[in-house]
Amino acid sequence: MPAIRTETMTVNMGPQHPSTHGVLRIVLELDGETVLSAAPTIGYLHTGIEKTTEQKKWQQVIPLVERMDYLSAQSNSMAFCLSVERLLGVEVPERVRAIRVLLAELQRINSHLVWLGTHGMEVGAVSVMLYCFRERELLLNINEMIAGFRMFPSYMRIGGLREDLPRGFHDAVRAFLDRLPPKLDEYEDLLTENEIYRERTQGVGAISRDDAIAYGLLGPIGRASGVDYDVRKAFPYLGYETYEFAVPTQAAGDVYARYQVRVAEMRESVKICRQALERISTTGAFAVDDPRVTPPPKDRVYTEMEALIQHFLIYSQGFMVPAGEAYVPVEGPRGEHGFYVVSDGTNRPWRVKSRAPSLLACQALERMIVGGLIADVIAVIGSIDVVMGDVDR
């Protein structure tokens, strides 16, 4: 009998695809159902945010950076503020530090809920998405309470916060923290021992600890491969060294391990939020007492000429930041995240460069999916929690 001739097939997955978490295109070479090669292609969502920041005054950059990784807006603005505050040499009050920690951890839970819901839906567990978005809605309500905006509150500002916490904030956060742990149990009841989910995720998209380090995969992806690194522990900021929490890790490095790490991280974030909430008084300082960056209170603006002039200058011309460069990393929902900020001594940044964990995750996709099945590609993409706004910035 003559030998059967076979040939590979090249197909595009994306950029218009419901499960690539944005406009990500992957050129796949297939031998039947097996992936022989994969070439991720990025750039379809390019917004030029980093370049746009050079045309904005320092405080005006915050709404831009919040829209890079649109699932971790509070972490983005916090990272940018910390870098600029280092250049300014200002230290925010303890109350502001605790509020920032609280909001960043709530943002981490928010992001992980979106990840868990969409990832579950992509592998066939549709109910999980409905469960997760039920709790996420409560976090969006808290964002709306503090700033009037649900996804991009722009509440953190250079030198502190936009305004003081509203009445009822403590009660709303406490109610959410009391509600979430039993709901996390519900998510795990649906997935952790689910035979179908385990078949779809265990041994799929595995990456070794050494490869994770080589690719710069930090955050939940790296910790799922045994990389015990967390910026909050290694380079504490905002007083994280004073909070008690664990850094969950796994060794398998597969899709299931990433799921386990993120669920455990949500539980640890609840612990941090409870500690931070206890440190936040109902009223108090919400910005640094520095006339260079903080506008005077409105009652003084209406009664004192000096305060009126200061208010006018800050809002019309902005403030000057001393020449220099700074990078303060934070632990975002997707790993180490931060902004390398360069100032030339004017009222606008000379350069703002983001360390985007989603970009590094896209880079490692080929390593994770080659040799697997095409059906597993979706599970792997979901497990790395990529946000294309973070990649194409």
Side-chain angles (χ1 to χ4, degrees), residues 57-58 60 310-320 346-348:
K57 294 188 282 288
W58 290 97
Q60 292 176 324
Q310 179 195 352
H311 179 277
F312 175 77
L313 289 175
I314 287 178
Y315 281 106
S316 63
Q317 299 181 18
F319 48 80
M320 307 297 178
T346 65
N347 63 342
R348 288 175 169 82

Side-chain angles (χ1 to χ4, degrees), residues 210-385:
D210 290 343
D211 283 343
I213 294 173
Y215 279 102
L217 300 178
L218 307 176
I221 305 176
R223 290 191 283 273
S225 297
V227 181
D228 186 13
Y229 174 80
D230 188 305
V231 180
R232 296 170 295 177
K233 293 285 191 182
F235 304 100
Y237 54 96
L238 295 177
Y240 264 107
E241 66 275 13
T242 65
Y243 291 85
E244 293 185 10
F245 66 99
V247 179
T249 59
Q250 292 288 330
D254 56 10
V255 174
Y256 188 75
R258 290 169 212 142
Y259 154 75
Q260 289 177 302
V261 165
R262 289 194 179 95
V263 173
E265 281 189 6
M266 285 193 277
R267 296 189 187 277
E268 295 302 318
S269 289
V270 170
K271 295 179 186 176
I272 298 173
C273 287
R274 290 191 189 280
Q275 296 172 59
L277 194 62
E278 292 301 316
R279 305 182 186 191
I280 302 170
S281 56
T282 307
T283 59
F286 60 87
V288 65
D289 185 14
D290 188 331
R292 291 180 300 166
V293 296
T294 305
K298 279 297 178 68
D299 58 342
R300 288 186 54 210
V301 173
Y302 295 144
T303 57
E304 301 175 18
M305 179 56 68
E306 293 80 4
L308 177 62
I309 294 172
Q310 179 195 352
H311 179 277
F312 175 77
L313 289 175
I314 287 178
Y315 281 106
S316 63
Q317 299 181 18
F319 48 80
M320 307 297 178
V321 173
E325 56 190 44
Y327 173 74
V328 180
V330 303
E331 184 66 31
R334 271 152 284 285
E336 182 181 320
H337 176 60
F339 292 93
Y340 171 67
V341 176
V342 183
S343 172
D344 58 359
T346 65
N347 63 342
R348 288 175 169 82
W350 186 81
R351 182 76 170 92
V352 174
K353 176 71 174 70
S354 169
R355 184 200 188 274
S358 293
L359 176 64
L360 302 173
C362 283
Q363 179 179 264
L365 263 178
E366 180 183 11
R367 187 77 172 188
M368 297 182 190
I369 61 182
V370 169
L373 302 176
I374 188 172
D376 293 335
V377 173
I378 296 303
V380 175
I381 294 174
S383 74
I384 64 174
D385 193 18

Side-chain angles (χ1 to χ4, degrees), residues 193-212:
E193 298 299 329
N194 186 307
E195 186 176 338
I196 299 175
Y197 181 72
R198 293 173 75 112
E199 286 288 331
R200 287 298 312 272
T201 57
Q202 287 186 325
V204 173
I207 189 165
S208 68
R209 182 179 186 276
D210 290 343
D211 283 343

Side-chain angles (χ1 to χ4, degrees), residues 58-63 65-66 73-92 96 100 154-162 237-238 288 293 319 321 326-330 337-341 352:
W58 290 97
Q59 209 72 274
Q60 292 176 324
V61 173
I62 290 172
V65 299
E66 286 194 336
Q74 304 270 37
S75 294
N76 289 13
S77 54
M78 181 176 69
F80 177 74
C81 289
L82 288 173
S83 291
V84 179
E85 286 164 3
R86 176 168 291 181
L87 287 175
L88 285 166
V90 302
E91 191 73 30
V92 297
V96 174
R100 286 181 173 181
S154 296
Y155 183 65
M156 296 189 196
R157 301 292 173 90
I158 298 166
L161 308 168
R162 190 185 80 174
Y237 54 96
L238 295 177
V288 65
V293 296
F319 48 80
V321 173
Y327 173 74
V328 180
V330 303
H337 176 60
F339 292 93
Y340 171 67
V341 176
V352 174

